[in-house]
Amino acid sequence: MTRHARNCTAGAVYTYHEKQKDASQSGYGTQNERVGKDSIKSFDCCSLTLQPCRTPIVSPEGHLFDKEALLQYMITKKNEYCRKLKEYEKQKHKEEEELAELGRAEQQSKVNDFLKRESMVKKQNDIYKMKSQKRSEKNVSSISNMANGLDKQLPSFWVPSETPDANKAPMQKPDKTIYCPMSGKPLKLKNFVDVKWTLVNDPSDKKSLAIRENRYMCAVTHDILSNAVPAAVIRTTGHVITMECFEKLIKKDWLHPLNGDKLTEKDIIPLQRGGTGYATTNVNLQGKNARPVLQA
């Protein structure tokens, strides 16, 4: 246990700071730490692959995707739906067969009962019937759960496959709709907008585009784009601009600064971004590491 501070050796209270310090040293207790810059998706990376987009498209909610990765995701979901639908139809067909079998068995039992009643014409058969009824009444009065054929109906609690909860839960009909992995809303490719990045023209920087620190800039003001700079996409043309450019230039007269077309508020799609290692921007940058709890 951590020593108490100077002049506080007589204190009987186990302070919160001491408990946190002991927990971090002993390996117990949930750890909270701020996520570093390397753990955050860059503003120009795909939300599925977490890699720079080759053919970037943006959803109406502002989530950036690579078109190839999104199409592959949609194909995978459709294949999964077809597989679940086949299993559901197989289960439904099996249930229909079981119901039909029960109906045939019930009909056959009714026919057998009718023939049995009609065949009992003679007195001997009536007497025999009365004796059998008395025997059945005696058997019904038995308290044993193995009499009257119940031994074949009751499940065996020793065999795992015969337990009451061994039957699989019935499958529900799968949903055909494909949902966005980020927003959870229905995914429709026609609602996505192609994104046009504006490259930074720096003749002195001869590095590859993937390893450059400053890759893209605002199409109007030429400000460098990064996770710390809020940006938006113009729906009509796909150009990426900063939110500062939108607030100071576009919002005044609602005209496209590059071609002069009229814009509305729906034509501006704010990009959902990550954040820096120092401040949160739209997301929670606090990571948790769950460990056994240290109880005092």
Side-chain angles (χ1 to χ4, degrees):
M1 183 181 294
T2 308
R3 290 185 179 181
H4 290 281
R6 190 177 300 174
N7 299 329
C8 293
T9 55
V13 179
Y14 188 34
T15 64
Y16 177 78
H17 173 70
E18 292 172 345
K19 186 176 181 180
Q20 291 293 106
K21 189 174 181 180
D22 290 339
S24 61
Q25 294 177 355
S26 62
Y28 290 89
T30 302
Q31 283 184 329
N32 296 331
E33 57 180 337
R34 186 173 294 279
V35 179
K37 185 178 180 180
D38 296 337
S39 302
I40 300 170
K41 181 183 77 69
S42 181
F43 72 98
D44 60 339
C45 289
C46 174
S47 298
L48 289 174
T49 62
L50 305 182
Q51 299 296 326
C53 297
R54 297 181 180 179
T55 311
I57 54 176
V58 65
S59 67
E61 292 78 24
H63 298 287
L64 194 69
F65 294 96
D66 192 344
K67 192 172 185 178
E68 181 180 356
L70 187 64
L71 290 174
Q72 184 65 33
Y73 172 79
M74 296 176 69
I75 292 173
T76 303
K77 287 296 181 181
K78 287 183 179 180
N79 293 337
E80 184 179 355
Y81 165 76
C82 293
R83 178 181 59 82
K84 290 183 177 180
L85 185 61
K86 288 182 180 179
E87 294 179 359
Y88 173 76
E89 291 177 350
K90 184 178 179 180
Q91 173 189 315
K92 191 175 180 181
H93 182 66
K94 185 178 179 181
E95 291 177 354
E96 291 176 354
E97 288 184 349
E98 291 177 354
L99 290 175
E101 185 66 25
L102 289 175
R104 288 192 295 267
E106 185 178 359
Q107 186 68 21
Q108 186 65 30
S109 65
K110 289 181 179 179
V111 172
N112 293 337
D113 292 342
F114 175 77
L115 294 176
K116 188 176 180 180
R117 286 194 300 268
E118 290 295 325
S119 64
M120 294 180 181
V121 180
K122 297 181 181 180
K123 187 175 181 180
Q124 294 178 357
N125 293 340
D126 294 339
I127 295 173
Y128 178 77
K129 182 180 179 182
M130 292 175 63
K131 290 182 179 180
S132 62
Q133 287 179 354
K134 289 181 179 180
R135 290 176 183 174
S136 63
E137 289 176 358
K138 290 180 180 179
N139 292 335
V140 169
S141 61
S142 175
I143 62 174
S144 175
N145 61 354
M146 303 298 289
N148 303 327
L150 292 178
D151 56 337
K152 297 181 180 179
Q153 298 178 6
L154 292 175
S156 173
F157 290 92
W158 294 96
V159 183
S161 60
E162 295 295 331
T163 54
D165 56 348
N167 296 330
K168 294 183 179 179
M171 290 183 58
Q172 301 295 331
K173 189 174 182 181
D175 190 2
K176 190 177 181 180
T177 308
I178 301 176
Y179 296 95
C180 178
M182 301 301 296
S183 63
K185 296 182 179 180
L187 191 63
K188 295 181 180 179
L189 196 61
K190 64 180 182 180
N191 296 334
F192 282 74
V193 178
D194 295 334
V195 178
K196 296 180 181 179
W197 298 108
T198 304
L199 298 176
V200 176
N201 296 324
D202 189 2
S204 61
D205 193 356
K206 298 182 180 180
K207 296 180 181 179
S208 175
L209 182 64
I211 61 176
R212 287 183 187 177
E213 185 176 356
N214 300 325
R215 293 190 287 267
Y216 303 112
M217 61 182 180
C218 175
V220 179
T221 62
H222 291 185
D223 293 335
I224 303 299
L225 299 177
S226 65
N227 278 11
V229 179
V233 178
I234 301 177
R235 186 190 299 271
T236 55
T237 58
H239 290 97
V240 181
I241 60 173
T242 60
M243 291 301 294
E244 185 179 5
C245 172
F246 165 70
E247 294 290 341
K248 293 183 178 180
L249 299 178
I250 299 178
K251 205 172 182 179
K252 290 183 178 180
D253 48 10
W254 291 103
L255 293 177
H256 197 297
L258 299 179
N259 55 17
D261 294 341
K262 278 193 173 184
L263 299 175
T264 60
E265 192 171 357
K266 294 182 180 180
D267 293 330
I268 305 299
I269 305 175
L271 276 178
Q272 301 292 335
R273 53 203 170 95
T276 64
Y278 304 98
T280 57
T281 53
N282 301 335
V283 293
N284 184 16
L285 298 182
Q286 190 177 32
K288 288 188 177 182
N289 181 23
R291 301 186 303 177
V293 180
L294 179 63
Q295 295 182 353

